[in-house]
Structures are given as structure tokens and as C-alpha cells.
């Protein structure tokens, strides 16, 4: 135990004195103990600086109130695939594991602000959700999912661009970047895209705090102050210009002693490649209307029927009176 506390003290000293230079990635390149789906302590960036970042939204809300349907973040990794977190789409009350229908979601890319479009904004319906079959809703292990878009992302856009995958886990002390439109405090969300630097922490220390499997890693400052938060889930952890992690969970938001937990992308390289190879990039589906839209259409039909019937009855009464 003395060794573990010594490790903790050393790491606190290291993170407090870090002077690592932060380079923005370009288009080329705590009581009670509660698990929250995980930017606190960040700063505003534009989508041109992080063109791989997307917002995944509930269609039923998004189509009625633009900017209100945000569920999770994600990162573009090919011209039709977005990488995100499994817990954003899994129905955790089902056994065996089931993921929600893809037509419930829309992916908004190329926007710096969550609540308005700009010249780069593009929207894509989701044709298929491939969630990891080993995802555990209790531990959030294997928290990774791919969204297959029902559209092709044009690479000439300055606001939407794929990010390459990391082929190995980032080393301890590496300063990485997290992004999202989640909460900037425990109460307030940000309409502007946020970015924040977080260092990769010692794996032994992460084990002391969380008992993490090899498929997860932790990053952040032990003194707190900077972290991902609710609404950032599924978003990217970028290290050396590559997608190294997926924002997964944490205890609170930027609380001292509890760094953020991320899915280790390099651990899932074979899974990502296999899932991507199973997709037919030439297939585009006729996406169904939402059930809500169908219900609205049916109610309008019923209302129209009653209106026509009422007009007919009124005409009959008038003819009898005359």
C-alpha cells in the first residue's frame, strides 16, 4: 500500500509541473460514488480545427428543435463510418444485449456550434449501428460502437475529415486532447465546441483508482479541474494526431482524484477493421420515417377524415333546412 501511495504522490507532482506543448490536430494529421457517462475546464475551438468531431442526435428531437437532440459525440474514421461509445446506443435492460434502431439517430458533422448550422454543416442518417457484442453495461467494458452512415462524406469539405486510428496505446505522460459539446460545469452545457488537454496517467495508478481492464485507460489531472462530462460520451481522445481513445465514463466531472476513463482504441483495431470490412459501401437504404412522424401523419389523416365528415353532415343539414 505504501508503494501505491508513493506512486500517487509522484504522479500528482508530475502532472502539476507538466510543461508539455499542446499542438492542435489539423485536418491532416465525489460522494456518492456515481458513474457518469462522460468539457469541463476547456476552451472553444472551431470545427475546422477538429473536422473529425460529430454530434449524434435523436432524430425525433433534432427535427423539431435544432440543437436539442444531442446524445453523444463521435469521430469520423472513414467516409461512411463514425466511431463512438456503445453505451450511447445499447438498451441496457435487455438480455441478450440489444442496440437501438439506427433510424432513431442522425449524425451532424461540420458544425462548431450545437444549435446552429454553418457553411460546413452536413447531416447523415444512420444506416446501421455495430456495437461490440461484449459491451458490459455495468462496467462499461468494450464500450465501442461504429455508426454506418447512409451517405458519403466528401473529402473536399474543410469541416468534415476522418481521423487516423492509433495503432498502439499512448504512453504515460502523453498530452492528449478531448472534445465535445457536453457540460462545462455540473449544471451548464456549452453550445460551442470545447477542447481540453489531458495527460495519459500511469496504468498502475488507474488500477488503484478504478481496476480497469486492458481495453480501458484513464487520463486527466488528479487535482481535478479538467475532464470530459455528460454529453461528451463517444467523443474522441486525440493523441499525436490519432484517435487513441473514446470518452466513456468517470466519477463526477473533473473531481479531484477521479480522472476520466476512455476506451483504448488500439485494443480494438482488429474489431474495427473486421466490422468495417463487413460493410458494403455501395449500399444505400431508403430510410423509414420515424414512428413519431408516422403517428403524426395518421392523426392528421384521422383529423382530416373527421373534418370531411363534418362538412358533409353540415351540407346535409343545410339542404334539409332549405
Amino acid at each position: 500500500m505504501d508503494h501505491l501511495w508513493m506512486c500517487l504522490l509522484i504522479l500528482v507532482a508530475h502532472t502539476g509541473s507538466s510543461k508539455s506543448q499542446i499542438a492542435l490536430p489539423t485536418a491532416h494529421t465525489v460522494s456518492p460514488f456515481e458513474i457518469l457517462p462522460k468539457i469541463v475546464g476547456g476552451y472553444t475551438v472551431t470545427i475546422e480545427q477538429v473536422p473529425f468531431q460529430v454530434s449524434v442526435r435523436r432524430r425525433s428531437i433534432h427535427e423539431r428543435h435544432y440543437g436539442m437532440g444531442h446524445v453523444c459525440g463521435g469521430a469520423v474514421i472513414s467516409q461512411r463510418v463514425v466511431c463512438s461509445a456503445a453505451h450511447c446506443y445499447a438498451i441496457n435492460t435487455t438480455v441478450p444485449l440489444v442496440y437501438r434502431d439506427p433510424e432513431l439517430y442522425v449524425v451532424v458533422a461540420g458544425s462548431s456550434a450545437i444549435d446552429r448550422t454553418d457553411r460546413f454543416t452536413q447531416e447523415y442518417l444512420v444506416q446501421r449501428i455495430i456495437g461490440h457484442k461484449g459491451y458490459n453495461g455495468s462496467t462499461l467494458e468494450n464500450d465501442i460502437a461504429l455508426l454506418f452512415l447512409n451517405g458519403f462524406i466528401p473529402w473536399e469539405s474543410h469541416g468534415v475529415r476522418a481521423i487516423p486510428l492509433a495503432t498502439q496505446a499512448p504512453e504515460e505522460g502523453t498530452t492528449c486532447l478531448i472534445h465535445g459539446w457536453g457540460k462545462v460545469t455540473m449544471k451548464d452545457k456549452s453550445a460551442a465546441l470545447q477542447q481540453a488537454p489531458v495527460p495519459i496517467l500511469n496504468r498502475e495508478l488507474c488500477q488503484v483508482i478504478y481496476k480497469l481492464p486492458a481495453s480501458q485507460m484513464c487520463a486527466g489531472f488528479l487535482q481535478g479541474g479538467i475532464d470530459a462530462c455528460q454529453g461528451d460520451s463517444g467523443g474522441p481522445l486525440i493523441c499525436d494526431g490519432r484517435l487513441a481513445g473514446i470518452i466513456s465514463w468517470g466519477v463526477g466531472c473533473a473531481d479531484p482524484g477521479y480522472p476520466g476513463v476512455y476506451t483504448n482504441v488500439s485494443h480494438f483495431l482488429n474489431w474495427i477493421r473486421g466490422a468495417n470490412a463487413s460493410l458494403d459501401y455501395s449500399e444505400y437504404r431508403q430510410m423509414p420515417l420515424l414512428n413519431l412522424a408516422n403517428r403524426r401523419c395518421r392523426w392528421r389523416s384521422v383529423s382530416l377524415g373527421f373534418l370531411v365528415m363534418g362538412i358533409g353532415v353540415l351540407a346535409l343539414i343545410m339542404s334539409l333546412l332549405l
Side-chain angles (χ1 to χ4, degrees):
M1 182 61 72
D2 291 340
H3 170 72
L4 295 177
W5 278 111
M6 182 64 69
C7 182
L8 181 65
L9 290 172
I10 291 173
L11 194 58
V12 170
H14 171 73
T15 55
S17 62
S18 173
K19 297 181 180 179
S20 300
Q21 202 87 23
I22 299 172
L24 293 173
T26 66
H28 304 293
T29 54
V30 122
S31 177
F33 188 94
E34 181 184 3
I35 291 179
L36 295 174
K38 314 220 80 150
I39 287 254
V40 177
Y43 48 90
T44 300
V45 292
T46 65
I47 200 65
E48 293 97 322
Q49 293 171 291
V50 287
F52 45 82
Q53 176 78 40
V54 301
S55 167
V56 184
R57 308 182 186 185
R58 278 274 192 171
R59 281 180 66 193
S60 58
I61 303 174
H62 170 75
E63 291 174 0
R64 292 198 306 266
H65 307 287
Y66 192 91
M68 298 295 290
H70 176 79
V71 175
C72 281
V76 176
I77 61 172
S78 82
Q79 287 187 289
R80 289 193 65 182
V81 175
V82 165
C83 187
S84 189
H87 78 257
C88 298
Y89 318 102
I91 304 173
N92 292 331
T93 56
T94 61
V95 178
L97 177 65
V98 175
Y99 287 91
R100 293 184 174 88
D101 294 333
E103 60 263 25
L104 296 177
Y105 300 96
V106 59
V107 171
V108 179
S111 288
S112 299
I114 197 79
D115 56 355
R116 63 181 183 273
T117 61
D118 58 34
R119 65 188 186 280
F120 298 130
T121 302
Q122 299 176 46
E123 296 187 16
Y124 299 92
L125 298 182
V126 180
Q127 184 168 307
R128 185 178 171 190
I129 296 175
I130 306 176
H132 199 286
K133 292 181 180 179
Y135 166 69
N136 186 314
S138 299
T139 65
L140 272 72
E141 191 172 354
N142 302 313
D143 191 13
I144 185 171
L146 301 182
L147 308 184
F148 188 45
L149 307 181
N150 197 43
F152 206 73
I153 297 173
W155 276 172
E156 61 269 19
S157 170
H158 293 288
V160 188
R161 191 71 59 87
I163 184 79
L165 302 176
T167 56
Q168 56 186 13
E171 296 182 357
E172 173 190 350
T174 302
T175 299
C176 303
L177 296 168
I178 52 177
H179 312 86
W181 291 275
K183 289 188 175 182
V184 292
T185 69
M186 284 300 292
K187 295 182 179 180
D188 303 316
K189 290 187 177 181
S190 172
L193 181 58
Q194 299 290 297
Q195 174 174 278
V198 289
I200 300 297
L201 297 184
N202 177 277
R203 180 150 195 87
E204 185 178 356
L205 177 65
C206 294
Q207 286 295 96
V208 174
I209 301 172
Y210 290 127
K211 306 289 185 187
L212 298 181
S215 62
Q216 295 175 331
M217 57 188 177
C218 70
F221 297 91
L222 291 178
Q223 63 266 42
I226 298 178
D227 194 9
C229 197
Q230 290 158 301
D232 295 321
S233 289
L237 172 76
I238 306 299
C239 304
D240 298 322
R242 293 177 175 270
L243 179 64
I246 301 166
I247 298 172
S248 184
W249 63 278
V251 176
C253 295
D255 291 349
Y258 293 99
V261 178
Y262 300 83
T263 300
N264 179 3
V265 169
S266 65
H267 184 84
F268 295 96
L269 273 182
N270 290 336
W271 181 84
I272 293 172
R273 289 166 178 163
N276 185 63
S278 71
L279 300 171
D280 183 355
Y281 273 61
S282 66
E283 178 189 8
Y284 296 90
R285 295 179 185 172
Q286 184 68 37
M287 300 298 290
L289 293 172
L290 291 177
N291 291 333
L292 179 64
N294 289 336
R295 286 198 297 271
R296 188 182 297 118
C297 290
R298 285 198 295 272
W299 277 111
R300 286 174 178 170
S301 298
V302 171
S303 300
L304 182 59
F306 277 116
L307 178 60
V308 172
M309 185 184 300
I311 293 174
V313 171
L314 181 61
L316 177 60
I317 293 173
M318 291 298 294
S319 65
L320 291 175
L321 291 176
L322 294 174

